[in-house]
């Protein structure tokens, strides 16, 4: 005969189990139908940890709606005889034969009518087990009681297993999201120290309570960043990262060990972590006591403020080696003061360490490349410009490519045998090693020819012939301007261009004019000739040569800097060459929303007299007005 009442109750129990977020939520759905079983007078449930410490007890009598709930941390070694091994174990016992050191439920079971106890012990997971005990009288069908108890336990175990599985899935999803966010955050910076600081900030408090990051240098681990959930411990953790000998020795011993190591207990003796975390816990407890006193009266104590069984957790430290592309770049140390269940697993820490190591290594490689590129760029440009009482020379160079490939812009100033000075500026198409090679060839070829007195047109033609003979795959533009002093204090400006943007002349009165120029690109056709254009410039007039990175800087609205350049240059009248060069470069970079070309500027203010004798006063208000 089918027991419809129990079948319906069991069906509802399974439904409740599928929705439950914790096993304790099933108590009402488990206890009520068991108490409805004929002959059952009391149900007592207990929860134990792996060290036979009673954590929880709940008792409900038939006819009562108010269970007795006890949360405790009672150690009962004698209960080891009841701990199940694998499958649930159902037993029958007489009430009078119960040992209180083994059965904490005895105090309730003795108060219930009846003389027998039917109990089932079952394992929930590796960290604990549980028991359900029923007080029954002589009218009970013990076989039916045992069957119902076993079925209820099956639901509880399945519910707990499902909760753990969903928890693991949620944690994996959370870990994956954290790893993805960590990658985005770390990859968004190419600065080594900023990347390391991001590693520490991302990990706390999501992964650990504290984090230290060290970079491996030639002389050993070098502290870079630290963070902690307790603000008061931030400095202590930083101090430990920089100077603590225990930590330094540990990191040195770790070497290239790829496995994450967890340290706790005796392994942390002499370390700075246990003391620092203990201070943080003490302060947190003090804060809790203060709050408790404010709300519950002056008799509150630290023990009152802390929930039973929720005291300070043991300090755990993990150390992961940061390895990328076959080499160790550093290490990350996590400090934990949390339940064991909330500690990350080794697989997650390895994944986080791998991502951090790659981000750090990318930043290191970028730093090395940046240093090499800047060094190479410096060798492609003159270390200094010539000085004379008749001209004020200055130059500016701004790298525009965020990937820092070597640019093809170049400039130079060459004193000539006849007392004139030749100013040259050029731009090789493209970037990289080939562009750098052509840059060096072009600049040094023109410099050598112009130093020997070769006229600019012939110098450009010979450079074009050299490029064609070398079968250069790139073309370049260039302009050469010579300033020849005249007896009246003026200078003859002779300009020869090979497809380069025309220079500008800023007159002393603030007017700006474009120097006429033309000519074919260099390296395209054989036997090309170049003609010069001549005009006069007066003292305090300024010649500005530049590459197209200046004029083609483009704002968000689509306008090019070329459209505002004359007005911006006019506003700089009365300025020295250095200020004009730096100001125009800075203005173009500020103006630019798109475009990654380098910006090169060569500025020559013709004085005709010793410096300072005729310089017009610079009015900053005019320059500021032009920027609006």
């Amino acid at each position: 005969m089918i027991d419809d009442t129990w079948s319906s109750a069991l069906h509802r129990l399974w439904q409740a189990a599928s929705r439950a977020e914790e096993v304790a939520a099933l108590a009402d759905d488990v206890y009520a139908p068991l108490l409805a079983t004929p002959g059952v007078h009391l149900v007592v449930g207990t929860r134990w940890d792996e060290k036979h410490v009673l954590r929880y007890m709940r008792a409900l009598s038939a006819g009562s709606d108010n269970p007795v709930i006890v949360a405790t941390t009672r150690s009962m070694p004698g209960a080891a005889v009841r701990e199940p091994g694998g499958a649930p174990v159902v037993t029958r016992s007489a009430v009078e034969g119960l040992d209180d050191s083994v059965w904490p439920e005895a105090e309730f079971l003795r108060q219930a009518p009846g003389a027998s106890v039917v109990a089932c012990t079952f394992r929930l997971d590796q960290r604990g087990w549980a028991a359900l005990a029923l007080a029954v009288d002589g009218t009970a069908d013990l076989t039916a009681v045992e069957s119902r108890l076993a079925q209820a336990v099956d639901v509880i175990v399945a519910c707990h297993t499902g909760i753990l599985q969903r928890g693991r899935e949620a944690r994996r999803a959370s870990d994956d999201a954290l790893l993805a966010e960590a990658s985005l955050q770390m990859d968004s910076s190419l600065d080594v120290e900023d990347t390391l600081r991001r590693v520490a900030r991302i990990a706390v408090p999501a992964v650990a309570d504290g984090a230290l990051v060290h970079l491996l240098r030639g002389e050993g681990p070098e502290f870079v960043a630290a963070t902690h959930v307790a603000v008061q411990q931030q400095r202590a953790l930083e101090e430990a990262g920089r100077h603590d000998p225990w930590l330094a020795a540990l990191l040195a011993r770790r070497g290239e060990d790829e496995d994450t190591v967890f340290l706790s207990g005796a392994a942390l003796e002499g370390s700075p972590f246990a003391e620092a975390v203990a201070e943080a816990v003490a302060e947190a407890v003090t804060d809790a006591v203060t709050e408790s006193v404010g709300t519950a009266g002056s008799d509150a104590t630290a023990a009152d403020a802390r929930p039973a069984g929720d005291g300070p957790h043991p300090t755990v430290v993990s150390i992961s080696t940061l390895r990328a592309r076959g080499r160790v770049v550093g290490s990350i140390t996590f400090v934990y003061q949390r339940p064991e269940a909330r500690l990350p697993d080794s697989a997650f820490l390895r994944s986080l360490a791998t991502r951090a190591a790659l981000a750090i290594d990318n930043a290191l490689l970028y730093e090395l490349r940046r240093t090499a590129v800047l060094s190479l760029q410096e060798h492609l440009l003159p270390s200094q410009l010539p000085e004379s009482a008749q001209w004020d020379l200055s130059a500016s160079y701004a790298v525009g490519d965020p990937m820092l490939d070597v640019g093809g812009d170049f400039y130079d100033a060459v004193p000539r045998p006849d007392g004139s000075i030749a100013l040259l500026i050029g731009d090789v198409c493209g970037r990289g090693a080939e562009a750098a090679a052509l840059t060096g060839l072009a600049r040094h070829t023109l410099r050598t020819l112009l130093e020997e007195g070769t006229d600019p047109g012939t110098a450009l033609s010979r450079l074009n012939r050299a490029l064609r003979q070398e079968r250069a795959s790139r073309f370049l533009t260039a302009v050469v301007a010579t300033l020849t002093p005249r007896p009246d204090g003026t200078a003859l400006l002779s300009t020869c261009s090979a497809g380069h943007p025309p220079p500008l002349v800023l007159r002393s009165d603030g007017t700006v004019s474009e120097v006429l120029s033309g000519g074919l690109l260099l390296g395209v056709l054989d036997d090309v000739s170049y003609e010069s254009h001549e005009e006069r410039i007066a003292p305090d007039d300024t010649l500005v040569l530049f590459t197209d990175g200046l004029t083609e800087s483009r704002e968000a609205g689509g306008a090019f800097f070329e459209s505002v350049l004359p007005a911006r240059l006019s506003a700089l009248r009365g300025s020295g060459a250095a200020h004009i060069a730096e100001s125009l470069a800075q203005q173009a970079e500020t103006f630019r929303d798109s475009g990654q070309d380098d910006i090169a500027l060569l500025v020559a203010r013709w004085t005709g007299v010793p410096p300072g004798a005729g310089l017009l006063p610079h009015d900053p208000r005019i320059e500021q007005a032009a920027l609006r």
Side-chain angles (χ1 to χ4, degrees):
M1 179 177 177
I2 299 176
D3 187 343
D4 291 335
T5 302
W6 172 252
S7 296
S8 298
L10 189 61
H11 178 69
R12 290 193 298 272
L13 180 57
W14 276 111
Q15 289 182 320
S18 66
R19 298 188 300 267
E21 295 182 359
E22 57 180 15
V23 173
L26 292 180
D28 291 339
D29 295 287
V30 171
Y31 283 41
L34 288 175
L35 286 172
T37 303
V40 177
H41 296 277
L42 178 73
V43 180
V44 185
T46 52
R47 182 75 176 267
W48 306 78
D49 67 16
E50 72 275 15
K51 297 179 180 179
H52 309 113
V53 174
L54 178 64
R55 291 291 183 178
Y56 173 85
M57 186 159 56
R58 187 181 196 273
L60 182 64
S61 300
S64 174
D65 294 328
N66 299 314
V68 177
I69 299 175
V70 179
T72 181
T73 55
R74 190 192 312 175
S75 178
M76 301 184 67
V81 298
R82 298 177 59 194
E83 182 177 356
V89 178
V90 179
T91 60
R92 299 179 186 177
S93 306
V95 173
E96 62 269 15
L98 298 180
D99 182 350
D100 287 3
S101 66
V102 178
W103 291 80
E105 308 100 313
E107 60 178 294
F108 295 104
L109 294 170
R110 293 193 185 101
Q111 299 173 16
S116 300
V117 176
V118 179
C120 180
T121 56
F122 52 96
R123 181 160 294 283
L124 292 171
D125 51 48
Q126 295 301 317
R127 294 191 297 273
W129 53 283
L132 272 178
L134 310 181
V136 300
D137 62 21
T139 65
D141 181 346
L142 295 181
T143 301
V145 170
E146 289 179 354
S147 175
R148 291 187 179 190
L149 183 58
Q151 290 175 337
V153 166
D154 285 344
V155 177
I156 294 172
V157 172
C159 176
H160 186 70
T161 301
I163 290 171
L164 291 180
Q165 179 63 30
R166 291 193 295 273
R168 285 191 291 268
E169 291 174 356
R171 183 163 182 172
R172 279 197 297 269
S174 177
D175 288 349
D176 290 345
L178 178 62
L179 290 172
E181 177 64 20
S183 295
L184 288 174
Q185 289 291 329
M186 292 184 293
D187 292 344
S188 64
S189 174
L190 286 174
D191 179 84
V192 176
E193 294 195 2
D194 183 58
T195 299
L196 289 164
R197 284 191 291 268
R198 287 170 183 253
V199 172
R201 288 197 299 267
I202 289 168
V204 176
V207 177
D209 299 280
L212 299 103
V213 184
H214 287 78
L215 187 65
L216 185 62
R217 298 290 192 184
E219 59 277 9
E222 176 185 313
F223 169 78
V224 177
T227 188
H228 197 284
V229 291
V231 177
Q232 61 271 24
Q233 295 307 311
Q234 181 76 32
R235 293 181 181 177
L237 205 57
E238 291 176 353
E239 184 67 18
R242 288 190 178 93
H243 305 298
D244 186 76
W246 183 93
L247 180 59
L250 177 62
L251 295 179
R253 289 197 304 271
R254 289 282 298 159
E256 298 190 2
D257 193 345
E258 295 185 11
D259 293 331
T260 296
V261 61
F262 285 86
L263 305 174
S264 62
L268 292 178
E269 290 182 4
S271 76
F273 303 113
E275 179 181 353
V277 175
E279 291 176 2
V281 171
E283 293 188 19
V285 170
T286 301
D287 293 341
V289 171
T290 302
E291 182 178 352
S292 178
V293 169
T295 58
S298 59
D299 293 335
T301 64
D304 298 326
R306 189 169 56 244
D310 192 31
H313 300 284
T315 302
V316 179
V317 173
S318 71
I319 301 175
S320 300
T321 300
L322 302 178
R323 174 185 289 273
R325 299 180 178 94
R327 67 188 185 94
V328 175
V329 298
S331 65
I332 183 166
T333 302
F334 290 134
V335 182
Y336 312 92
Q337 187 72 16
R338 56 185 60 186
E340 182 181 349
R342 291 181 55 203
L343 295 180
D345 58 33
S346 297
F348 171 79
L349 291 178
R350 280 196 301 272
S351 183
L352 180 61
T354 298
R355 294 165 189 248
L358 286 173
I360 293 168
D361 195 50
N362 286 338
L364 287 170
L365 292 175
Y366 179 84
E367 185 179 75
L368 290 174
R369 181 179 181 181
R370 179 175 182 273
T371 301
V373 166
L374 292 179
S375 176
L376 178 57
Q377 198 81 65
E378 288 177 358
H379 284 83
L380 293 175
L381 300 173
S383 58
Q384 62 182 13
L385 297 175
E387 297 181 359
S388 170
Q390 293 181 307
W391 58 71
D392 173 20
L393 286 181
S394 188
S396 177
Y397 196 104
V399 177
D401 183 11
M403 296 305 295
L404 285 176
D405 281 327
V406 183
D409 292 13
F410 64 92
Y411 61 82
D412 208 343
V414 184
R416 290 160 55 81
D418 61 357
S420 65
I421 184 172
L423 308 176
L424 61 100
I425 194 166
D427 185 3
V428 176
C429 173
R431 310 183 67 85
E434 185 179 359
L438 286 181
T439 297
L441 172 66
R443 179 191 157 219
H444 290 291
T445 298
L446 288 177
R447 180 180 180 86
T448 299
L449 293 172
L450 293 170
E451 278 182 329
E452 294 174 350
T454 305
D455 69 89
T458 302
L460 288 174
S461 295
R462 292 178 63 178
L463 173 58
N464 181 74
R465 191 180 309 125
L467 294 173
R468 297 294 294 168
Q469 290 174 350
E470 291 291 330
R471 299 183 182 276
S473 61
R474 299 169 185 258
F475 62 83
L476 64 92
T477 67
V479 64
V480 179
T482 59
L483 294 174
T484 305
R486 309 297 296 175
D488 61 358
T490 64
L492 177 64
L493 171 62
S494 179
T495 307
C496 190
S497 177
H500 197 80
L504 298 178
V505 175
L506 171 62
R507 302 293 179 180
S508 59
D509 61 359
T511 58
V512 176
S513 60
E514 188 177 271
V515 177
L516 296 178
S517 60
L520 190 66
L521 302 171
L522 296 164
V524 178
L525 298 176
D526 297 327
D527 300 326
V528 180
S529 60
Y530 297 92
E531 297 181 354
S532 297
H533 168 79
E534 295 183 350
E535 62 180 275
R536 293 289 185 95
I537 62 171
D540 294 327
D541 289 349
T542 302
L543 178 66
V544 180
L545 295 85
F546 49 86
T547 57
D548 58 10
L550 179 77
T551 54
E552 293 179 4
S553 294
R554 190 171 186 174
E555 68 171 356
F560 290 95
F561 191 72
E562 180 180 23
S563 63
V564 299
L565 177 57
R568 299 288 181 92
L569 179 58
S570 177
L572 292 168
R573 60 184 176 275
S575 299
H579 180 70
I580 292 175
E582 293 299 328
S583 178
L584 287 179
Q586 183 178 9
Q587 289 182 44
E589 289 187 279
T590 303
F591 182 89
R592 176 163 56 191
D593 181 72
S594 63
Q596 299 178 345
D597 204 0
D598 292 359
I599 297 174
L601 283 147
L602 181 60
V603 178
R605 189 181 68 85
W606 183 257
T607 62
V609 292
L615 184 62
L616 296 178
H618 169 55
D619 189 349
R621 293 174 297 179
I622 299 177
E623 180 181 349
Q624 292 300 319
L627 299 178
R628 299 190 185 116

